[in-house]
Amino acid sequence: MADDQDVRKKAEMAKEKKAAFGQDIELEKFSSARKDLAKASNLTELSDEDKRTLLNVGVLPNEEGRSGSFVLMDNTVVHERQMGTGVEVMSLQKALGVHDWLKEYSWKAVQPDADKYTSRTFLEEADGYFIHALPGQKVRMPVQTCLMLKSKDSAQTVHNVIVVEEGAELEVVTGCSTSKHVDRALHLGISEFYLKRNAKLTFTMIHNWAENIGVRPRTVIEMDEGAIFINNYVALKPVRSIQTYPTCRMNGPNGVCVFNSVAVAHPGSEMDMGSRVIMNAPGCKAEITSRTITTGGVMIARGQMVGAAPNVKGHLECKGLILSDKGTQIAIPELEARVPDVEMTHEAAVGKIAQDQVEYLMSRGLTEEEAVGIIVKGFLDVGIRGLPPQLKAEIDATLEQVDLSNM
């Protein structure tokens, strides 16, 4: 009890603590999002507009081919359902009442006093999803989740925990989105992932926010020996501000961690994005790849790779395109070796589309706009590999909707 009071006191003291990166957001301008929305026993009961919103971020309302579903609208758990075997899917607050052991994971990887966004989420006792892959279970169908903002000028606070037990395999597809009428709001999302020995988690997040939405996720992944973590991050639609810098701590030997990110900064937006991998055990391998574009906004692509144990290998790659005179593209790759025998490399490049590539495609009968469109889609597509065919098709459909009018 004394420890709980101490943690709460620290969170209280962090109410005004600014984040290390990104624009500062005045939290007092956003009310807490609603917790009293109607629940749905089946996602097909949702309105046609809500179902379209789900589909745009890869969440299937008919739930076919999924092992479980979870939908949070504002701060209301609207739907939670577990269909497959070998996995548990439920709200985190419910799970904390079911599993005493879960207290050892909740708010342990992410600290409540990290900044004012974690502080508010902790103090509001935010709910979110709990997904638990049971030991040795290969969960073949993905679990899908959606975090949707339904109310204007409100703040959605989310706390998620995923535990993949020893030898288990799990895929999660999550979509973050906004209802059509919501043009200003805030999303604060805390995610803690725990991968046990020889576990595998593939996590794909697709964003589809509105133009005046602020987004502040805080994610930490803890990995044991032989674990594999693959993270795919897609943010192609207009949004006011995103600042995210997920950290993966590889604590056991011979783990593999892959971060793939593709993002577009539209006019008026600032996207401060990155990934950090800390290899604390020998034999670990990591790869960070980002493909970013600015069509007029500010894009900051960070990446940090730390080699803190012998015989680790890693590659960090940040590539960005500038497709507007008003856009800004910044790449900040960072390698840190704490022992002599590590092998880490990085590659960073920012610039415009090579004119000879455009002219070549135009010589094949394409218009200039068509040529630019093909080059841009190919550039972004390189960032994500190994996706299931269905999800790949969903992301391709999103790429088709990217506004190329400013390019």
Side-chain angles (χ1 to χ4, degrees):
M1 182 64 74
D3 289 344
D4 291 344
Q5 291 175 350
D6 185 53
V7 172
R8 187 170 187 84
K9 184 178 179 181
K10 289 181 178 178
E12 292 276 2
M13 293 176 66
K15 280 183 174 179
E16 306 297 328
K17 184 179 179 181
K18 294 182 179 180
F21 304 116
Q23 296 174 327
D24 186 55
I25 296 177
E26 297 180 63
L27 297 182
E28 59 273 16
K29 292 185 176 180
F30 298 88
S31 61
S32 295
R34 294 178 60 182
K35 292 186 175 181
D36 58 351
L37 298 176
K39 296 183 182 298
S41 59
N42 193 310
L43 290 179
T44 58
E45 298 172 3
L46 299 176
S47 68
D48 290 342
E49 179 183 320
D50 284 341
K51 284 187 282 191
R52 281 194 296 272
T53 302
L54 294 179
L55 280 170
N56 286 339
V57 289
V59 176
L60 306 180
N62 62 16
E63 299 177 273
E64 290 181 358
R66 303 305 202 209
S67 291
S69 294
F70 177 91
V71 175
L72 185 79
M73 293 183 177
D74 281 352
N75 287 331
T76 305
V77 178
V78 169
H79 179 76
E80 52 185 326
R81 187 180 178 196
Q82 174 185 319
M83 290 87 80
T85 59
V87 63
E88 291 181 284
V89 181
M90 66 181 83
S91 79
L92 179 60
Q93 294 302 325
K94 180 186 292 185
L96 286 167
V98 174
H99 298 302
D100 287 341
W101 56 265
L102 188 52
K103 295 175 184 174
E104 301 300 319
Y105 296 84
S106 178
W107 287 109
K108 295 299 186 292
V110 176
Q111 297 304 304
D113 62 342
D115 57 35
K116 62 184 184 181
Y117 310 116
T118 61
S119 169
R120 176 159 175 172
T121 306
F122 175 83
L123 294 172
E124 288 194 358
E125 298 182 355
D127 209 348
Y129 54 74
F130 167 67
I131 304 173
H132 181 208
L134 303 181
Q137 297 295 311
K138 316 295 185 187
V139 184
R140 296 303 178 191
M141 299 295 183
V143 173
Q144 61 179 8
T145 76
C146 183
L147 311 174
M148 188 188 303
L149 279 161
K150 294 281 288 183
S151 301
K152 185 178 179 181
D153 298 328
S154 66
Q156 180 184 56
T157 51
V158 186
H159 183 200
N160 308 310
V161 174
I162 296 178
V163 179
V164 186
E165 298 286 0
E166 182 172 333
E169 293 185 7
L170 175 68
E171 180 181 350
V172 176
V173 178
T174 189
C176 297
S177 192
T178 311
S179 288
K180 190 175 181 180
H181 64 281
V182 178
D183 57 1
R184 180 180 180 276
L186 176 64
H187 168 85
L188 308 177
I190 309 303
S191 296
E192 302 179 284
F193 301 164
Y194 298 91
L195 280 66
K196 303 294 184 64
R197 185 172 179 268
N198 294 327
K200 181 180 180 181
L201 173 62
T202 301
F203 186 84
T204 299
M205 176 177 286
I206 302 173
H207 287 248
N208 188 9
W209 301 109
E211 293 187 13
N212 287 314
I213 304 296
V215 183
R216 293 293 181 270
R218 300 290 181 261
T219 301
V220 174
I221 305 99
E222 301 278 4
M223 294 175 58
D224 288 345
E225 178 181 357
I228 300 173
F229 177 65
I230 300 172
N231 187 87
N232 300 310
Y233 186 96
V234 181
L236 305 177
K237 301 295 182 63
V239 62
R240 171 62 67 188
S241 173
I242 293 180
Q243 190 272 308
T244 180
Y245 203 22
T247 295
C248 181
R249 291 196 278 259
M250 307 179 74
N251 301 318
N254 303 317
V256 176
C257 176
V258 177
F259 280 100
N260 296 314
S261 303
V262 294
V264 177
H266 295 261
S269 68
E270 178 174 313
M271 303 176 74
D272 191 325
M273 301 171 47
S275 304
R276 177 191 293 124
V277 178
I278 304 173
M279 292 180 279
N280 289 319
C284 287
K285 297 178 180 177
E287 182 176 308
I288 297 174
T289 302
S290 73
R291 295 283 190 273
T292 58
I293 287 175
T294 173
T295 62
V298 176
M299 173 64 74
I300 303 171
R302 303 180 188 274
Q304 185 185 39
M305 194 166 285
V306 178
N311 300 316
V312 299
K313 294 182 179 180
H315 181 66
L316 195 165
E317 186 174 299
C318 303
K319 290 187 176 180
L321 283 179
I322 305 175
L323 299 177
S324 168
D325 292 339
K326 297 180 180 178
T328 300
Q329 180 79 248
I330 302 171
I332 310 175
E334 183 179 353
L335 303 179
E336 179 179 330
R338 298 177 182 172
V339 295
D341 45 353
V342 302
E343 182 179 329
M344 297 187 296
T345 58
H346 77 74
E347 180 181 357
V350 296
K352 63 181 182 180
I353 293 177
Q355 188 59 32
D356 60 339
Q357 294 180 12
V358 177
E359 291 173 353
Y360 171 76
L361 290 174
M362 292 177 67
S363 72
R364 310 290 288 184
L366 299 179
T367 66
E368 182 174 6
E369 183 176 343
E370 289 171 337
V372 170
I374 287 175
I375 293 169
V376 167
K377 291 179 176 66
F379 173 81
L380 292 176
D381 191 45
V382 173
I384 295 181
R385 297 183 289 271
L387 291 174
Q390 184 178 7
L391 183 56
K392 178 69 166 54
E394 290 163 355
I395 292 176
D396 287 344
T398 303
L399 285 171
E400 291 294 332
Q401 298 170 21
V402 174
D403 183 5
L404 299 177
S405 59
N406 293 312
M407 299 181 183

